Amino acid sequence: MPYKAEDVLKQLRKKEYAPVYFLQGDEPYFIDQIADYIEKNALQEHEKSFNQMVLYGKDVAVSDILSQARRFPMMAERQVVIVKEAQSINGFTNKEPSELMVNYLKQVVPSTILVFCFKGKSLDKRKAIYKAFEEYGIVVDAKKMYDNQLPAWVGRYVQSLKCTITEEASYLLTEHIGNDLDRLTNEIAKIQTNFEGPVNITPELIEKYVGISKDYNVFEMQRALASRDVLKANKIAQYFAANPKEHPLIPLISVLFGFYSKLLIASRQQDKSEAGLAQVLRLPPFVVREYKQALHLYNVQQLMGSIQALHLADLQSKGVESGQKDEGAILTELVYNILH
């Protein structure tokens, strides 16, 4: 079975190193996290010049990698060989290179730590090379997280920095940034660098240091539409239309489509309590309150009409049936169609 990234990192922090790591999958953050930790910590600084080698898949063959891996360390306990962009190794899973790799895995050099960073792809689990990596080394399958898992992950990450973050701030940050762990951690670091010692991250700090306007952002637009506040929704739409680079239309449509789709699901639930809806929609309770409010203001027909309006706006934003409309005109029409 593949290992979880956090379990591997726990082993590494205890200085428990395996001879081979195969890091694969479509979430580069976890792959980089493990490879970077090994690169920074497996050797002392004075040992790295002779005993640490970083290779790139497009520049090497399997035979080149294994030639480096079979070397013995110079005046050190171990050597480290890291293969970045391993998915670009020519013919990596072909018969001959695969057999070379399997033979090495069966008789690894224990003084070598060999790391493969295989980003955006995964080996076929039926192939002998994958089975050998799993049997003789450590395989990490770094999968993209589901969007509803992001706020909790941000909370754990911030806690690992000896800081805290409010539930609302965590949700605001993940909804704004999206499923990009590198960007999320960078924005958190941006906030943290402005303080000495632990900090409690609040929506106000996110507004100040990440640059999300308190009054003019996608979540305020969502709240305005949820409460059917015509004046506020149009005011935000005008602001977005005047600042299209900072507030592009397509991501806004995506967020609103998610909102109205979940709202339609909520409308069909027998248990419409906060706890019941939070479980079904996989949302924190403070967000569910907004959904409950909207359920009193939208019937099923209106929800279906809102989704159809969003679908039309999505097509128009991509040049279909848009005529001469710019993003501002499409957004203004979208807000009108949803509220009327």
Side-chain angles (χ1 to χ4, degrees), residues 256-257 260-262 264 302-312 338:
L256 293 179
F257 181 81
Y260 281 99
S261 297
K262 289 188 177 90
L264 184 61
Q302 289 170 324
L303 292 175
M304 292 295 294
S306 298
I307 290 172
Q308 289 173 354
L310 284 160
H311 178 63
L312 175 60
I338 288 176

Side-chain angles (χ1 to χ4, degrees), residues 62-197:
V62 169
S63 56
D64 301 321
I65 297 166
L66 297 183
S67 177
Q68 292 292 338
R70 288 193 172 100
R71 290 172 59 245
F72 290 99
M74 294 180 62
M75 297 177 289
E77 179 183 350
R78 60 175 71 95
Q79 71 155 348
V80 175
V81 179
I82 299 175
V83 187
K84 298 187 176 183
E85 300 173 11
Q87 72 279 1
S88 300
I89 299 171
N90 188 31
F92 186 56
T93 57
N94 290 352
K95 183 178 179 181
E96 186 177 346
S98 180
E99 288 177 350
L100 287 174
M101 193 71 243
V102 171
N103 289 336
Y104 175 82
L105 290 167
K106 288 179 178 178
Q107 293 182 309
V108 296
V109 176
S111 57
T112 295
I113 300 173
L114 177 57
V115 183
F116 289 90
C117 301
F118 201 82
K119 291 183 179 180
K121 295 182 179 181
S122 297
L123 289 179
D124 187 337
K125 293 183 179 182
R126 298 168 296 181
K127 289 186 176 290
I129 188 170
Y130 177 87
K131 293 177 181 177
F133 273 122
E134 195 171 45
E135 182 175 356
Y136 300 107
I138 285 182
V139 175
V140 174
D141 198 356
K143 295 180 179 179
K144 279 279 187 186
M145 300 179 71
Y146 293 111
D147 289 348
N148 66 290
Q149 297 174 314
L150 291 173
W153 182 87
V154 165
R156 293 194 300 272
Y157 176 77
V158 170
Q159 190 175 32
S160 74
L161 302 175
K162 311 299 182 188
C163 297
T164 55
I165 185 169
T166 68
E167 192 174 31
E168 187 173 0
S170 180
Y171 186 80
L172 177 66
L173 187 64
T174 54
E175 285 293 307
H176 177 70
I177 301 298
N179 199 338
D180 186 334
L181 301 189
D182 280 318
R183 277 196 66 200
L184 284 169
T185 54
N186 287 339
E187 295 297 345
I188 291 166
K190 189 190 298 182
I191 296 170
Q192 194 182 19
T193 54
N194 289 278
F195 300 88
E196 292 184 7

Side-chain angles (χ1 to χ4, degrees), residues 256-274:
L256 293 179
F257 181 81
F259 172 70
Y260 281 99
S261 297
K262 289 188 177 90
L263 203 54
L264 184 61
I265 293 170
S267 72
R268 298 176 181 274
Q269 302 305 308
Q270 287 188 341
D271 182 3
K272 291 185 173 64
S273 66
E274 282 189 15

Side-chain angles (χ1 to χ4, degrees), residues 308-326:
Q308 289 173 354
L310 284 160
H311 178 63
L312 175 60
D314 181 57
L315 291 174
Q316 291 176 334
S317 70
K318 295 167 183 173
V320 181
E321 301 180 15
S322 61
Q324 301 298 315
K325 295 176 186 173
D326 59 14

Side-chain angles (χ1 to χ4, degrees), residues 174-236:
T174 54
E175 285 293 307
H176 177 70
I177 301 298
N179 199 338
D180 186 334
L181 301 189
D182 280 318
R183 277 196 66 200
L184 284 169
T185 54
N186 287 339
E187 295 297 345
I188 291 166
K190 189 190 298 182
I191 296 170
Q192 194 182 19
T193 54
N194 289 278
F195 300 88
E196 292 184 7
V199 59
N200 179 42
I201 300 174
T202 62
E204 290 73 24
L205 292 184
I206 291 174
E207 177 191 353
K208 184 175 181 179
Y209 296 110
V210 179
I212 305 173
S213 170
K214 183 179 179 180
D215 299 314
Y216 298 100
N217 61 66
V218 63
F219 313 108
E220 287 303 313
M221 171 64 89
Q222 180 176 298
R223 289 189 183 101
L225 293 173
S227 60
R228 301 188 75 86
D229 188 332
V230 177
L231 181 62
K232 184 177 179 181
N234 280 289
K235 190 176 179 182
I236 296 172

